[in-house]
Amino acid sequence: EDGGGGGLRAFPTPEEILALPDEAYRMPTARRETIRALARAVVDDGLDLDQGADRASTVRALTALPGIGAWTAGYLAMRALGDPDVFLPTDVAVHRGAAALGLPTTPAALDAYATRWRPWRSYAVIRLWRRAA
């Protein structure tokens, strides 16, 4: 159903995701199970992925799920929670953007360099992604 969105459909609810059969997921089994674990955490544990959610506890809850590491939790904090101060030092495009600007490119050195951008490191990530493109 398009809901008046000009051909756009609403993203499925966590309950709808959990009800899908395995065949609905065109991805590796581990990724499918990560998506299901996330949906279960939202439904069963009340994991809040809205902008008003407590960022630190949400990131802890996310990284406790199988298949979700620091990069994914950081990306979700930046994009879904609206955290303005997430830096993704292991992101390949961030490295490319940093290299294009003559900045450090190893994760540790780049992360240390990025402390000067606090509390707006999420914006720096977006700028580095654009520079890498």
Side-chain angles (χ1 to χ4, degrees):
E1 175 179 313
D2 121 358
L8 296 177
R9 295 183 322 139
F11 195 81
T13 66
E15 293 83 3
E16 290 170 331
I17 290 170
L18 289 170
L20 291 171
D22 289 352
E23 303 78 44
Y25 296 87
R26 294 183 180 181
M27 59 187 65
T29 302
R31 188 170 303 149
R32 177 188 71 221
E33 293 310 312
T34 296
I35 291 170
R36 284 181 172 157
L38 178 58
R40 261 187 238 100
V42 170
V43 171
D44 297 343
D45 303 330
L47 178 62
D48 186 0
L49 297 176
D50 292 324
Q51 285 197 354
D54 178 86
R55 295 172 186 145
S57 65
T58 300
V59 167
R60 278 192 303 277
L62 287 168
T63 56
L65 296 173
I68 297 184
W71 185 93
T72 303
Y75 184 84
L76 287 170
M78 184 172 71
R79 295 295 204 172
L81 305 179
D83 189 338
D85 195 36
V86 173
F87 194 69
L88 303 173
T90 61
D91 187 89
V92 173
V94 166
H95 291 179
R96 287 186 190 131
L101 294 171
L103 302 176
T105 56
T106 64
L110 185 56
D111 197 34
Y113 186 90
T115 61
R116 67 189 69 204
W117 299 325
R118 284 184 185 269
W120 309 109
R121 294 177 304 157
S122 295
Y123 298 98
V125 167
I126 293 167
R127 296 291 303 255
L128 291 169
W129 282 341
R130 287 187 177 157
R131 182 64 184 199

PDB file of all heavy atoms in Angstrom, residues 56-80:
ATOM      1  N   ALA A  56      23.601   6.612  24.565  1.00  0.00           N
ATOM      2  CA  ALA A  56      24.594   5.684  25.109  1.00  0.00           C
ATOM      3  C   ALA A  56      23.977   4.314  25.402  1.00  0.00           C
ATOM      4  O   ALA A  56      24.559   3.282  25.056  1.00  0.00           O
ATOM      5  CB  ALA A  56      25.236   6.267  26.365  1.00  0.00           C
ATOM      6  N   SER A  57      22.800   4.296  26.027  1.00  0.00           N
ATOM      7  CA  SER A  57      22.192   2.998  26.339  1.00  0.00           C
ATOM      8  C   SER A  57      21.722   2.291  25.074  1.00  0.00           C
ATOM      9  O   SER A  57      21.782   1.061  24.984  1.00  0.00           O
ATOM     10  CB  SER A  57      21.048   3.149  27.344  1.00  0.00           C
ATOM     11  OG  SER A  57      19.991   3.879  26.791  1.00  0.00           O
ATOM     12  N   THR A  58      21.289   3.052  24.075  1.00  0.00           N
ATOM     13  CA  THR A  58      20.861   2.438  22.813  1.00  0.00           C
ATOM     14  C   THR A  58      22.055   1.816  22.107  1.00  0.00           C
ATOM     15  O   THR A  58      21.961   0.687  21.601  1.00  0.00           O
ATOM     16  CB  THR A  58      20.160   3.470  21.909  1.00  0.00           C
ATOM     17  OG1 THR A  58      19.020   3.980  22.600  1.00  0.00           O
ATOM     18  CG2 THR A  58      19.712   2.847  20.606  1.00  0.00           C
ATOM     19  N   VAL A  59      23.177   2.500  22.071  1.00  0.00           N
ATOM     20  CA  VAL A  59      24.383   1.944  21.441  1.00  0.00           C
ATOM     21  C   VAL A  59      24.826   0.690  22.187  1.00  0.00           C
ATOM     22  O   VAL A  59      25.188  -0.311  21.565  1.00  0.00           O
ATOM     23  CB  VAL A  59      25.501   3.007  21.358  1.00  0.00           C
ATOM     24  CG1 VAL A  59      26.840   2.371  21.016  1.00  0.00           C
ATOM     25  CG2 VAL A  59      25.133   4.077  20.337  1.00  0.00           C
ATOM     26  N   ARG A  60      24.778   0.702  23.506  1.00  0.00           N
ATOM     27  CA  ARG A  60      25.126  -0.506  24.285  1.00  0.00           C
ATOM     28  C   ARG A  60      24.194  -1.658  23.936  1.00  0.00           C
ATOM     29  O   ARG A  60      24.628  -2.795  23.739  1.00  0.00           O
ATOM     30  CB  ARG A  60      25.085  -0.223  25.781  1.00  0.00           C
ATOM     31  CG  ARG A  60      26.327   0.441  26.326  1.00  0.00           C
ATOM     32  CD  ARG A  60      26.368   0.429  27.855  1.00  0.00           C
ATOM     33  NE  ARG A  60      25.211   1.054  28.479  1.00  0.00           N
ATOM     34  CZ  ARG A  60      25.062   2.362  28.673  1.00  0.00           C
ATOM     35  NH1 ARG A  60      26.012   3.191  28.302  1.00  0.00           N
ATOM     36  NH2 ARG A  60      23.983   2.832  29.253  1.00  0.00           N
ATOM     37  N   ALA A  61      22.894  -1.376  23.854  1.00  0.00           N
ATOM     38  CA  ALA A  61      21.918  -2.423  23.526  1.00  0.00           C
ATOM     39  C   ALA A  61      22.138  -2.954  22.113  1.00  0.00           C
ATOM     40  O   ALA A  61      22.047  -4.161  21.873  1.00  0.00           O
ATOM     41  CB  ALA A  61      20.497  -1.885  23.676  1.00  0.00           C
ATOM     42  N   LEU A  62      22.452  -2.062  21.193  1.00  0.00           N
ATOM     43  CA  LEU A  62      22.694  -2.486  19.812  1.00  0.00           C
ATOM     44  C   LEU A  62      23.921  -3.383  19.717  1.00  0.00           C
ATOM     45  O   LEU A  62      23.886  -4.431  19.069  1.00  0.00           O
ATOM     46  CB  LEU A  62      22.853  -1.273  18.898  1.00  0.00           C
ATOM     47  CG  LEU A  62      21.580  -0.488  18.592  1.00  0.00           C
ATOM     48  CD1 LEU A  62      21.926   0.843  17.937  1.00  0.00           C
ATOM     49  CD2 LEU A  62      20.649  -1.309  17.710  1.00  0.00           C
ATOM     50  N   THR A  63      25.018  -2.980  20.332  1.00  0.00           N
ATOM     51  CA  THR A  63      26.249  -3.780  20.225  1.00  0.00           C
ATOM     52  C   THR A  63      26.153  -5.097  20.996  1.00  0.00           C
ATOM     53  O   THR A  63      26.966  -5.987  20.769  1.00  0.00           O
ATOM     54  CB  THR A  63      27.488  -2.982  20.676  1.00  0.00           C
ATOM     55  OG1 THR A  63      27.298  -2.508  22.002  1.00  0.00           O
ATOM     56  CG2 THR A  63      27.768  -1.826  19.732  1.00  0.00           C
ATOM     57  N   ALA A  64      25.165  -5.230  21.851  1.00  0.00           N
ATOM     58  CA  ALA A  64      24.946  -6.507  22.540  1.00  0.00           C
ATOM     59  C   ALA A  64      24.237  -7.518  21.637  1.00  0.00           C
ATOM     60  O   ALA A  64      24.237  -8.716  21.923  1.00  0.00           O
ATOM     61  CB  ALA A  64      24.131  -6.286  23.816  1.00  0.00           C
ATOM     62  N   LEU A  65      23.657  -7.033  20.549  1.00  0.00           N
ATOM     63  CA  LEU A  65      22.959  -7.930  19.620  1.00  0.00           C
ATOM     64  C   LEU A  65      23.966  -8.628  18.709  1.00  0.00           C
ATOM     65  O   LEU A  65      24.960  -8.017  18.301  1.00  0.00           O
ATOM     66  CB  LEU A  65      21.962  -7.139  18.765  1.00  0.00           C
ATOM     67  CG  LEU A  65      20.810  -6.490  19.515  1.00  0.00           C
ATOM     68  CD1 LEU A  65      20.004  -5.596  18.583  1.00  0.00           C
ATOM     69  CD2 LEU A  65      19.910  -7.549  20.135  1.00  0.00           C
ATOM     70  N   PRO A  66      23.703  -9.889  18.358  1.00  0.00           N
ATOM     71  CA  PRO A  66      24.615 -10.593  17.456  1.00  0.00           C
ATOM     72  C   PRO A  66      24.637  -9.932  16.081  1.00  0.00           C
ATOM     73  O   PRO A  66      23.584  -9.583  15.540  1.00  0.00           O
ATOM     74  CB  PRO A  66      24.025 -12.007  17.375  1.00  0.00           C
ATOM     75  CG  PRO A  66      22.581 -11.846  17.751  1.00  0.00           C
ATOM     76  CD  PRO A  66      22.524 -10.689  18.714  1.00  0.00           C
ATOM     77  N   GLY A  67      25.836  -9.698  15.568  1.00  0.00           N
ATOM     78  CA  GLY A  67      25.976  -9.152  14.224  1.00  0.00           C
ATOM     79  C   GLY A  67      26.026  -7.629  14.154  1.00  0.00           C
ATOM     80  O   GLY A  67      26.188  -7.077  13.079  1.00  0.00           O
ATOM     81  N   ILE A  68      25.868  -6.950  15.281  1.00  0.00           N
ATOM     82  CA  ILE A  68      25.939  -5.485  15.281  1.00  0.00           C
ATOM     83  C   ILE A  68      27.184  -5.068  16.045  1.00  0.00           C
ATOM     84  O   ILE A  68      27.312  -5.315  17.238  1.00  0.00           O
ATOM     85  CB  ILE A  68      24.681  -4.844  15.882  1.00  0.00           C
ATOM     86  CG1 ILE A  68      23.470  -5.200  15.018  1.00  0.00           C
ATOM     87  CG2 ILE A  68      24.852  -3.327  15.995  1.00  0.00           C
ATOM     88  CD1 ILE A  68      22.175  -4.566  15.445  1.00  0.00           C
ATOM     89  N   GLY A  69      28.083  -4.436  15.312  1.00  0.00           N
ATOM     90  CA  GLY A  69      29.321  -3.960  15.913  1.00  0.00           C
ATOM     91  C   GLY A  69      29.311  -2.456  16.094  1.00  0.00           C
ATOM     92  O   GLY A  69      28.289  -1.789  15.913  1.00  0.00           O
ATOM     93  N   ALA A  70      30.474  -1.932  16.407  1.00  0.00           N
ATOM     94  CA  ALA A  70      30.613  -0.501  16.699  1.00  0.00           C
ATOM     95  C   ALA A  70      30.228   0.371  15.506  1.00  0.00           C
ATOM     96  O   ALA A  70      29.576   1.404  15.673  1.00  0.00           O
ATOM     97  CB  ALA A  70      32.040  -0.200  17.147  1.00  0.00           C
ATOM     98  N   TRP A  71      30.629  -0.028  14.283  1.00  0.00           N
ATOM     99  CA  TRP A  71      30.316   0.787  13.116  1.00  0.00           C
ATOM    100  C   TRP A  71      28.804   0.888  12.919  1.00  0.00           C
ATOM    101  O   TRP A  71      28.258   1.982  12.751  1.00  0.00           O
ATOM    102  CB  TRP A  71      30.968   0.223  11.851  1.00  0.00           C
ATOM    103  CG  TRP A  71      30.749   1.123  10.662  1.00  0.00           C
ATOM    104  CD1 TRP A  71      31.582   2.100  10.221  1.00  0.00           C
ATOM    105  CD2 TRP A  71      29.603   1.146   9.787  1.00  0.00           C
ATOM    106  NE1 TRP A  71      31.034   2.747   9.125  1.00  0.00           N
ATOM    107  CE2 TRP A  71      29.821   2.171   8.836  1.00  0.00           C
ATOM    108  CE3 TRP A  71      28.433   0.423   9.708  1.00  0.00           C
ATOM    109  CZ2 TRP A  71      28.904   2.471   7.823  1.00  0.00           C
ATOM    110  CZ3 TRP A  71      27.513   0.722   8.707  1.00  0.00           C
ATOM    111  CH2 TRP A  71      27.769   1.744   7.777  1.00  0.00           C
ATOM    112  N   THR A  72      28.108  -0.240  12.938  1.00  0.00           N
ATOM    113  CA  THR A  72      26.666  -0.253  12.716  1.00  0.00           C
ATOM    114  C   THR A  72      25.936   0.517  13.814  1.00  0.00           C
ATOM    115  O   THR A  72      25.035   1.313  13.531  1.00  0.00           O
ATOM    116  CB  THR A  72      26.132  -1.696  12.627  1.00  0.00           C
ATOM    117  OG1 THR A  72      26.835  -2.371  11.583  1.00  0.00           O
ATOM    118  CG2 THR A  72      24.648  -1.731  12.353  1.00  0.00           C
ATOM    119  N   ALA A  73      26.325   0.304  15.067  1.00  0.00           N
ATOM    120  CA  ALA A  73      25.687   1.022  16.172  1.00  0.00           C
ATOM    121  C   ALA A  73      25.943   2.520  16.049  1.00  0.00           C
ATOM    122  O   ALA A  73      25.036   3.334  16.268  1.00  0.00           O
ATOM    123  CB  ALA A  73      26.199   0.495  17.508  1.00  0.00           C
ATOM    124  N   GLY A  74      27.156   2.897  15.671  1.00  0.00           N
ATOM    125  CA  GLY A  74      27.468   4.307  15.479  1.00  0.00           C
ATOM    126  C   GLY A  74      26.676   4.910  14.341  1.00  0.00           C
ATOM    127  O   GLY A  74      26.159   6.025  14.441  1.00  0.00           O
ATOM    128  N   TYR A  75      26.575   4.178  13.244  1.00  0.00           N
ATOM    129  CA  TYR A  75      25.809   4.663  12.091  1.00  0.00           C
ATOM    130  C   TYR A  75      24.348   4.876  12.477  1.00  0.00           C
ATOM    131  O   TYR A  75      23.743   5.893  12.125  1.00  0.00           O
ATOM    132  CB  TYR A  75      25.932   3.674  10.933  1.00  0.00           C
ATOM    133  CG  TYR A  75      25.257   4.153   9.680  1.00  0.00           C
ATOM    134  CD1 TYR A  75      25.909   5.017   8.807  1.00  0.00           C
ATOM    135  CD2 TYR A  75      23.964   3.751   9.364  1.00  0.00           C
ATOM    136  CE1 TYR A  75      25.287   5.473   7.653  1.00  0.00           C
ATOM    137  CE2 TYR A  75      23.337   4.200   8.216  1.00  0.00           C
ATOM    138  CZ  TYR A  75      24.003   5.062   7.364  1.00  0.00           C
ATOM    139  OH  TYR A  75      23.378   5.517   6.237  1.00  0.00           O
ATOM    140  N   LEU A  76      23.767   3.929  13.211  1.00  0.00           N
ATOM    141  CA  LEU A  76      22.382   4.075  13.648  1.00  0.00           C
ATOM    142  C   LEU A  76      22.226   5.247  14.615  1.00  0.00           C
ATOM    143  O   LEU A  76      21.237   5.981  14.551  1.00  0.00           O
ATOM    144  CB  LEU A  76      21.873   2.784  14.290  1.00  0.00           C
ATOM    145  CG  LEU A  76      21.600   1.642  13.313  1.00  0.00           C
ATOM    146  CD1 LEU A  76      21.343   0.342  14.056  1.00  0.00           C
ATOM    147  CD2 LEU A  76      20.429   1.978  12.414  1.00  0.00           C
ATOM    148  N   ALA A  77      23.202   5.430  15.500  1.00  0.00           N
ATOM    149  CA  ALA A  77      23.142   6.571  16.429  1.00  0.00           C
ATOM    150  C   ALA A  77      23.171   7.880  15.656  1.00  0.00           C
ATOM    151  O   ALA A  77      22.444   8.827  15.971  1.00  0.00           O
ATOM    152  CB  ALA A  77      24.290   6.506  17.426  1.00  0.00           C
ATOM    153  N   MET A  78      23.994   7.928  14.630  1.00  0.00           N
ATOM    154  CA  MET A  78      24.111   9.138  13.829  1.00  0.00           C
ATOM    155  C   MET A  78      22.843   9.385  13.016  1.00  0.00           C
ATOM    156  O   MET A  78      22.284  10.480  13.053  1.00  0.00           O
ATOM    157  CB  MET A  78      25.322   9.010  12.902  1.00  0.00           C
ATOM    158  CG  MET A  78      25.617  10.244  12.088  1.00  0.00           C
ATOM    159  SD  MET A  78      27.175  10.134  11.185  1.00  0.00           S
ATOM    160  CE  MET A  78      26.779   8.947   9.924  1.00  0.00           C
ATOM    161  N   ARG A  79      22.384   8.379  12.300  1.00  0.00           N
ATOM    162  CA  ARG A  79      21.276   8.550  11.358  1.00  0.00           C
ATOM    163  C   ARG A  79      19.898   8.456  12.028  1.00  0.00           C
ATOM    164  O   ARG A  79      19.032   9.280  11.763  1.00  0.00           O
ATOM    165  CB  ARG A  79      21.366   7.510  10.240  1.00  0.00           C
ATOM    166  CG  ARG A  79      22.574   7.670   9.371  1.00  0.00           C
ATOM    167  CD  ARG A  79      22.532   8.964   8.621  1.00  0.00           C
ATOM    168  NE  ARG A  79      23.347   8.861   7.420  1.00  0.00           N
ATOM    169  CZ  ARG A  79      23.389   9.776   6.485  1.00  0.00           C
ATOM    170  NH1 ARG A  79      22.673  10.860   6.590  1.00  0.00           N
ATOM    171  NH2 ARG A  79      24.141   9.626   5.436  1.00  0.00           N
ATOM    172  N   ALA A  80      19.666   7.455  12.857  1.00  0.00           N
ATOM    173  CA  ALA A  80      18.335   7.265  13.440  1.00  0.00           C
ATOM    174  C   ALA A  80      18.128   8.094  14.702  1.00  0.00           C
ATOM    175  O   ALA A  80      17.060   8.670  14.900  1.00  0.00           O
ATOM    176  CB  ALA A  80      18.099   5.786  13.754  1.00  0.00           C
TER     177      ALA A  80
END
